Amino acid sequence: MDIDAGEFKKNIEKALEEQSGLRMNEQNEIPFEQLFTEEFMQLYTEFDSFEALLEASQWDVEDEDDFEAIPEGEFDTDVDEHTDFPSWEVMSQTAAQRFLERHFN
């Protein structure tokens, strides 16, 4: 029995997409609520939610544009002070990794 590598890859990608809700080979946007779950926040931060972290910060964040306007270096300082992470990049990468683990295990 011969296995067509292209067809095999296509079937694996389809199964992964169905299981995770993500589209392979495309940029996916995952809502913060799914990345920064209460469990994640309680385990790695001083807060019960991502919203509580933002509320405790010096910035008024009402929407995604407000969040994007926060100077990264300054937000890194807040993340370093109030979480187990040294920076926003490490925190968000860890959250994405935990998200994938939840959906692929």
Side-chain angles (χ1 to χ4, degrees):
M1 179 169 128
D2 291 332
I3 298 175
D4 181 320
E7 188 67 26
F8 179 74
K9 180 182 177 195
K10 182 178 164 186
N11 288 337
I12 292 294
E13 286 179 353
K14 182 178 178 184
L16 291 172
E17 288 175 354
E18 288 173 358
Q19 183 174 352
S20 70
L22 301 175
R23 305 291 300 166
M24 299 297 144
N25 302 316
E26 292 180 19
Q27 184 173 355
N28 292 280
E29 291 196 23
I30 303 167
F32 271 28
E33 300 83 31
Q34 291 182 26
L35 285 176
F36 303 102
T37 63
E38 285 184 15
E39 178 184 11
F40 179 89
M41 295 301 292
Q42 291 169 357
L43 184 62
Y44 296 110
T45 79
E46 299 173 3
F47 304 98
D48 290 333
S49 68
F50 191 77
E51 182 177 286
L53 170 71
L54 293 176
E55 287 174 1
S57 75
Q58 61 183 314
W59 299 281
D60 184 27
V61 179
E62 298 294 327
D63 56 31
E64 186 176 340
D65 289 336
D66 292 341
F67 181 75
E68 294 293 329
I70 298 173
E72 188 171 333
E74 292 178 31
F75 194 59
D76 284 343
T77 301
D78 274 10
V79 168
D80 186 41
E81 290 178 5
H82 301 289
T83 77
D84 294 343
F85 305 103
S87 68
W88 167 242
E89 181 178 0
V90 174
M91 182 177 175
S92 59
Q93 287 175 348
T94 303
Q97 180 180 353
R98 298 295 179 265
F99 173 86
L100 292 173
E101 288 170 356
R102 285 193 310 274
H103 285 84
F104 291 114
N105 285 332

